[in-house]
Amino acid sequence: IGEWVLAIGNPFGLGGTVTAGIVSQKGRVIGAGPYDNFIQTDASINPGNSGGPLFNMNGEVVGINTAIIAGGQGIGFATPINMVKDVLTQLKEKGSVTRGWIGVSIQELTPELAKSFGLKEPNGVLISSVTPGDPAEKAGLKAGDVIVGFNGKTITDLSDLPRTVASTPPGKNVEVKVIRDGKEKSFFIKVGTKVEEGAREKPAEEKEIAPDERIGISVQPITQDIAKRLGLKDTEGVIISSVKSDGPAASAGLKRGDVIKEVDRKAIKNTKDYEKAITAVEKKDVVLMLILRGNNTIYVALKLK
């Protein structure tokens, strides 16, 4: 905390932009999901920075710029690089992400609950239920147990356990320390597997479409999250996710973040429409596209030959 960092990205489609700031806090929970663990920085991060690196002063990537608070200033969030490395390795090796899983529902241990369970301090997380047949039940954990340690790491609050369990390799035997009836007990759990929802095969209309040689762009569907981050009024169209530097699209001035609304005067609402339209212009020398860039729409002619 307090160390200087640089954020690099393409805010609002302006191209390579560098901003400077400091690490404001670590381990931030912002409600993005059960594994929240963000680096907060006051380096300016705006729509279009997502996916860009956050560097320290040694030129090392310490995080990936991820989110902002709408309307806030000097409040940006980056995913810690150690989390990225773990996920990246799994994606490269298996094409999907698996996380550790023990099968418990937990809740915050408030001072009132801590007192009710005979604890002096509200440290740890309270098990509210145990899923039958899952690792926790097999190991002997019960509803009402307070988890205070997992695999050698101290568990103090609600966000600690999901992150710690998720980062534990499935199949590993770990020690879990709990408080039961006012006494500390140890249990050994064989961590199970939780397959992420996003790792499942996506329908064809939701997939990113890789670049073809004739046009030189990759496009992807506009999700609600993307629309919100870019300030789009709706999710119609497809967004350019990458541009080949030596392709017709780059020569015509198309950029990552541009939204394709029409191809040869045909409306594009999703990736299915885009694929159909691109197939229809295969034999043409020039393709006309209507592009939404920021708040403006422009026509762009791509010379294919």
Side-chain angles (χ1 to χ4, degrees):
I1 297 172
E3 288 187 359
W4 283 92
V5 286
L6 298 176
I8 295 181
N10 300 286
F12 301 106
L14 291 173
T17 298
V18 181
T19 54
I22 62 168
V23 174
S24 304
Q25 188 53 269
K26 299 192 297 180
R28 279 291 193 223
V29 176
I30 62 174
Y35 314 121
D36 278 18
N37 179 22
F38 292 100
I39 298 170
Q40 181 183 330
T41 177
D42 67 350
S44 294
I45 293 176
N46 291 290
N49 278 102
S50 296
L54 187 71
F55 288 96
N56 64 15
M57 293 298 100
N58 294 323
E60 299 166 323
V61 179
V62 297
I64 302 296
N65 303 326
T66 304
I68 59 174
I69 291 181
Q73 292 185 348
I75 304 177
F77 303 96
T79 303
I81 198 63
N82 288 340
M83 290 183 69
V84 175
K85 285 180 178 179
D86 178 53
V87 171
L88 187 61
T89 299
Q90 292 192 52
L91 289 175
K92 291 171 81 172
E93 293 177 353
K94 300 181 293 183
S96 62
V97 178
T98 55
R99 300 182 187 272
W101 175 257
I102 61 173
V104 295
S105 294
I106 57 174
Q107 66 183 85
E108 182 181 0
L109 189 65
T110 63
E112 293 76 17
L113 284 171
K115 187 176 180 180
S116 299
F117 282 93
L119 302 176
K120 295 180 181 179
E121 299 290 338
N123 293 328
V125 294
L126 177 63
I127 297 178
S128 55
S129 67
V130 178
T131 306
D134 275 0
E137 189 206 37
K138 291 178 180 178
L141 294 185
K142 299 178 180 179
D145 288 345
V146 176
I147 299 178
V148 294
F150 187 92
N151 197 24
K153 298 180 180 178
T154 301
I155 305 298
T156 57
D157 57 49
L158 195 62
S159 62
D160 288 341
L161 188 66
R163 293 199 301 247
T164 305
V165 173
S167 63
T168 305
K172 183 177 181 180
N173 286 297
V174 301
E175 181 184 12
V176 180
K177 293 183 178 180
V178 306
I179 304 294
R180 178 183 292 177
D181 299 326
K183 297 179 181 179
E184 184 175 298
K185 294 187 174 184
S186 290
F187 296 86
F188 287 89
I189 290 181
K190 185 177 182 180
V191 177
T193 301
K194 180 177 177 61
V195 179
E196 296 303 302
E197 292 294 325
R200 296 176 181 172
E201 185 70 12
K202 292 183 178 180
E205 65 271 14
E206 294 182 9
K207 291 182 179 178
E208 179 181 59
I209 298 177
D212 57 68
E213 295 300 322
R214 300 186 72 243
I215 296 178
I217 58 173
S218 295
V219 303
Q220 67 182 70
I222 302 171
T223 63
Q224 292 287 352
D225 180 56
I226 290 175
K228 184 177 180 181
R229 285 192 285 114
L230 297 182
L232 303 178
K233 295 179 180 179
D234 53 51
T235 60
E236 291 190 357
V238 293
I239 190 166
I240 297 177
S241 54
S242 68
V243 181
K244 290 186 66 176
S245 59
D246 58 350
S251 299
L254 293 185
K255 302 177 181 179
R256 180 176 179 269
D258 285 347
V259 175
I260 300 174
K261 287 290 190 179
E262 291 182 4
V263 173
D264 259 13
R265 307 308 299 269
K266 292 181 176 62
I268 304 298
K269 294 185 177 181
N270 49 43
T271 53
K272 189 176 181 180
D273 287 347
Y274 174 79
E275 284 186 294
K276 185 177 180 180
I278 292 301
T279 301
V281 299
E282 281 184 351
K283 296 181 180 180
K284 290 195 173 185
D285 295 337
V286 178
V287 174
L288 182 67
M289 290 188 177
L290 180 63
I291 301 297
L292 174 64
R293 181 177 294 166
N295 296 320
N296 301 314
T297 55
I298 56 173
Y299 280 104
V300 177
L302 276 70
K303 295 181 180 180
L304 303 184
K305 290 186 179 179

